[in-house]
Structures are given as structure tokens and as C-alpha cells.
Amino acid sequence: MLGTEIHLITFIYICILLLIIMCVCTNIYKKKNNSEFHVNFLLLTSAVLFNNISSGLLPDKNLKINILSQNIMAYTVGFITIGYYISYLSKYNNLTFRKYLNINHILIFLSIDLVIGFIIPYTITNDLIISRKIFLILPIFLILFLAFIIYKSKIKKYFGFKNKYENYHALAGLSGIFSIISVPFTMLLLGDSQSIEQTLFTVGYFFICVEYFLYGNNIQQLYSYGLTDREIEILNLIINNNSIKYLEMSHKLNISEKTISAHLSNIYKKVGVKNKKELIIRIAEKKL
């Protein structure tokens, strides 16, 4: 399309992503507040946009850059996008990553795999198919491990909340994971199928995008206090049931009441309240 290798569906995604970026920038400008949450979402959207552009444009025989360099550039952009995507989900969607994996270690691991598993073999063999298969071995094992973590943490607990926001927050997080998981499997099974790969990858992002525009204030407030994953889990239980007891929280999270009490004390300090009653009032004020 337009004299390039970009498919129509990829071009549509690019146009939508550009529009989203304009809306987010306008939102930041109007509020005169470049909060960390808005900037991080803007970076995520930009990463997804560049991934669509590089996947659509590269490789192109009409460009003066050799095909080998173009493929390396395209795969590098894809790696950066997925790395930041994982970091974003770890920070804003409580899917238990940080309990098992250090995000910095994941990024280092993927960087090494990109160089040793793709760039070096591709430079030596000049065979994209072989290099791609070597490169995908470790990411697929990592993704299977992440899927096991989500399954082990009882995926059902992410749903069944009393408010629409929490239910959609869970759905958006899992959709983001689907986006990440789809990339290596699509590349392995279908090769360079641009339309399918970008559709599976971008649709998952759109769920997160809808959450940003509908529930952005909820996310910003919830994560602005610097709470840990466990503290956010406890706060979510209180948000869904103001009258919940320590014993109920203990059973739901499989930790002792003493530990619940310790976490609540930390929550009170970070939120700036003295007790559960004041916390509930603060929750109502912030409309969490």
C-alpha cells in the first residue's frame, strides 16, 4: 500500500494509533500535568505504533538499506516494544509478575537473546527462517513460564469483582498478556504474516487503551500511592467490600491475619489515613 509493504489492516492500525497519541498528548496538555501514568501510556502507544510501522515497512527491497539490516531493525523494534509492554503490565496490571520475575532481568535476558539468538546467526547465515527459529526458542519458554505463573495464581480470582472497573482492569491485563504471547507463536507458525501478527498484537493493546480512556483516573489514583502488589490486592478487596473482615481477606489471599494487619498499616501510611474508616472515606473521595 502507498508503494510500500504495509498491508491495509496495518495502515488502519497506524492511523488509529496516531489518533490515540494525539488524544493523549492533548489530555496531558490540557491538564498541564505530565504524570507518570500518562507518560507511560504514551510511551506504550508509541512503541506499538513503531512496531506496526517497522513491521509494515521492513523489509522493503526499494529501500537503499540492505535486507539484513532492515530485518535486524524490525526485530529490534519488536523486542523493545515487547520489553516495554511487559514492564507496563507489571506496573499497572497486577498479574503477579514481580513475585516471580525481575523485569530488569527479563529485559537483559531478551537483549542477550536478540544478539546471540538472532543478530549473530542471521549475520553469519543470512537465513532469516533459521535465525528466527533460534531466536524464538528462549522467548517461547519464557512466555510458557509466564502463562504457568498466571494459571498457578488462579486466574479466576481476577474476575467476579463487584464493580465494572475491576472486572475490566483484569480483562485488559490478560488481553495485554495475550498480545505478548501471540507474537512469538505467530512468527514461529506463520512466519512473516503481517496482517495476522499485527492484528493479534494490536487488538490486545486496544483493551488497555479503552481502559485508559474510561478508567484512567482509577488507575492513576490506585498506583499513585506507591503500593506494592500485595497492598494493591488488599486495597482492591476493601474497594469491592467495605465491610470485609481480616479473616475473609486472610482466606482470600492465603496469608495470616497478622500479615494482613501489617500490610494495612503500610497502606494507611502511604495513603495518608489513620484507620480503615478513613481509608474507606478516601476511597469514596477518589472514586476508586
Side-chain angles (χ1 to χ4, degrees):
M1 184 172 185
L2 300 177
T4 69
E5 298 295 322
I6 295 179
H7 291 194
L8 175 60
I9 188 66
T10 305
F11 179 75
I12 292 173
Y13 293 148
I14 290 172
C15 292
I16 294 174
L17 289 164
L18 285 171
L19 181 61
I20 292 170
I21 287 176
M22 291 175 59
C23 292
V24 176
C25 289
T26 301
N27 186 36
I28 292 175
Y29 176 77
K30 285 183 177 180
K31 293 185 177 181
K32 303 292 183 180
N33 178 22
N34 292 0
S35 71
E36 183 181 1
F37 169 65
H38 293 295
V39 171
N40 284 335
F41 180 74
L42 182 62
L43 289 174
L44 175 64
T45 306
S46 300
V48 175
L49 170 65
F50 286 123
N51 184 65
N52 273 272
I53 292 175
S54 65
S55 176
L57 288 177
L58 306 176
D60 188 340
K61 295 179 180 179
N62 296 321
L63 296 178
K64 295 182 179 180
I65 305 172
N66 64 68
I67 298 298
L68 187 147
S69 297
Q70 290 186 48
N71 278 318
I72 290 176
M73 290 168 58
Y75 277 73
T76 301
V77 171
F79 153 73
I80 293 172
T81 301
I82 290 177
Y84 188 78
Y85 211 146
I86 293 174
S87 177
Y88 183 92
L89 292 175
S90 172
K91 185 166 187 175
Y92 295 112
N93 295 83
N94 184 25
L95 293 176
T96 69
F97 289 148
R98 282 176 287 186
K99 296 177 184 177
Y100 298 87
L101 297 172
N102 183 291
I103 294 302
N104 292 328
H105 292 167
I106 292 177
L107 296 178
I108 293 173
F109 164 81
L110 291 177
S111 298
I112 294 174
D113 183 48
L114 178 67
V115 175
I116 297 178
F118 181 73
I119 295 178
I120 293 178
Y122 188 34
T123 303
I124 295 173
T125 66
N126 202 30
D127 191 319
L128 179 61
I129 296 176
I130 293 176
S131 304
R132 181 167 54 213
K133 289 181 178 179
I134 296 173
F135 168 66
L136 291 174
I137 291 173
L138 291 179
I140 285 177
F141 276 110
L142 175 63
I143 284 172
L144 290 174
F145 181 54
L146 290 177
F148 173 74
I149 290 174
I150 296 173
Y151 172 77
K152 185 179 178 182
S153 61
K154 298 178 182 178
I155 197 170
K156 290 182 180 179
K157 81 176 185 178
Y158 292 116
F159 297 95
F161 296 103
K162 292 184 178 180
N163 62 69
K164 292 181 179 179
Y165 161 65
E166 281 298 328
N167 277 317
Y168 193 84
H169 184 61
L171 176 62
L174 293 174
S175 298
I177 290 300
F178 173 78
S179 289
I180 295 171
I181 291 176
S182 71
V183 174
F185 285 100
T186 303
M187 291 171 61
L188 183 65
L189 298 175
L190 302 176
D192 290 322
S193 180
Q194 182 187 141
S195 57
I196 296 177
E197 180 183 333
Q198 292 307 314
T199 294
L200 293 177
F201 182 73
T202 308
V203 166
Y205 157 81
F206 284 146
F207 280 89
I208 295 176
C209 179
V210 170
E211 180 183 33
Y212 170 82
F213 286 106
L214 292 182
Y215 303 111
N217 290 334
N218 299 66
I219 303 173
Q220 193 175 358
Q221 290 294 342
L222 189 59
Y223 288 88
S224 64
Y225 298 114
L227 303 180
T228 65
D229 287 342
R230 181 63 81 183
E231 289 166 355
I232 290 174
E233 285 182 319
I234 293 173
L235 183 58
N236 280 332
L237 291 176
I238 296 174
I239 288 173
N240 285 288
N241 182 5
N242 292 343
S243 60
I244 192 170
K245 306 296 182 184
Y246 281 23
L247 181 61
E248 293 178 74
M249 288 190 280
S250 175
H251 288 161
K252 284 180 176 291
L253 301 178
N254 197 28
I255 56 178
S256 67
E257 291 183 60
K258 184 178 180 180
T259 303
I260 292 289
S261 178
H263 282 306
L264 276 172
S265 296
N266 290 332
I267 292 173
Y268 297 155
K269 291 178 183 178
K270 293 178 180 180
V271 177
V273 297
K274 296 179 180 179
N275 50 50
K276 186 180 176 183
K277 183 178 180 180
E278 290 186 8
L279 178 63
I280 293 172
I281 294 174
R282 180 63 57 84
I283 288 172
E285 291 175 346
K286 298 296 184 180
K287 296 181 180 180
L288 293 178

